[in-house]
């Protein structure tokens, strides 16, 4: 039913979606300090844009906490986009280099490897 409503979905392969998602997750985990900086930067940009467009000081005080929570959510969701783009490029590169059947398999290996790396990195930063 969804394919009849959105015609371009019939041309998207589920293996491509899985490969891109796996590579994106691997990059997000492997470069978590970078992903945290991306979230913080987007959050700052949203706050700057809000300061430019706000109308009154009273309105700013009234809904400050709600806006901060909303901006944190939006920044977190938007921070995924660069990793999706790079994950798509890596998935495409693996498909070209190793063949279509290896793209998802290597993506799973990358996810596991980056997940183990992230756990070790956090354990190394934990106070004794």
């Amino acid at each position: 039913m969804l394919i009849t409503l959105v015609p371009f979905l019939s041309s998207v392969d589920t293996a491509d979606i899985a490969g891109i998602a796996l590579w994106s997750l691997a990059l997000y985990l492997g470069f978590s300090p970078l992903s945290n900086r991306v979230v913080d930067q987007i959050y700052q940009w949203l706050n700057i844009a809000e300061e430019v467009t706000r109308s009154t000081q009273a309105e700013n005080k009234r809904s400050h906490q709600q806006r901060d929570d909303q901006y944190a959510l939006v920044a977190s969701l938007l921070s995924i986009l660069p990793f999706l783009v790079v994950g798509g490029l890596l998935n495409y590169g693996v498909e070209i280099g190793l063949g279509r059947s290896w793209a998802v398999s290597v993506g799973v290996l990358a996810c596991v490897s980056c997940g183990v790396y992230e756990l070790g990195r956090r354990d190394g930063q934990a106070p004794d």
Side-chain angles (χ1 to χ4, degrees), residues 3 6 12 19 48 71 75 82 104:
I3 292 174
V6 185
V12 177
I48 290 170
Y71 289 163
V104 175

Side-chain angles (χ1 to χ4, degrees), residues 14-27 83-89 91-92 95 103-104:
T14 55
D16 289 336
I17 294 171
I20 291 169
L22 286 169
W23 277 105
S24 300
L25 178 62
L27 291 171
F83 293 99
L84 281 172
V85 170
V86 176
L89 293 173
N91 186 55
Y92 180 70
E95 280 186 11
V104 175

Side-chain angles (χ1 to χ4, degrees), residues 32-97:
S32 66
L34 176 64
S35 65
N36 291 337
R37 283 195 300 258
V38 169
V39 170
D40 292 339
Q41 188 65 41
I42 293 173
Y43 181 75
Q44 289 175 358
W45 288 341
L46 290 172
N47 278 331
I48 290 170
E50 187 269 328
E51 287 176 8
V52 169
T53 60
R54 78 169 169 231
S55 58
T56 63
Q57 189 72 14
E59 179 184 324
N60 185 33
K61 298 266 187 211
R62 196 175 16 189
S63 62
H64 181 70
Q65 182 62 38
Q66 181 182 8
R67 255 194 331 275
D68 279 349
D69 294 341
Q70 184 180 18
Y71 289 163
L73 175 67
V74 170
S76 180
L77 291 174
L78 287 177
S79 72
I80 299 169
L81 293 178
F83 293 99
L84 281 172
V85 170
V86 176
L89 293 173
L90 284 172
N91 186 55
Y92 180 70
V94 170
E95 280 186 11
I96 296 298

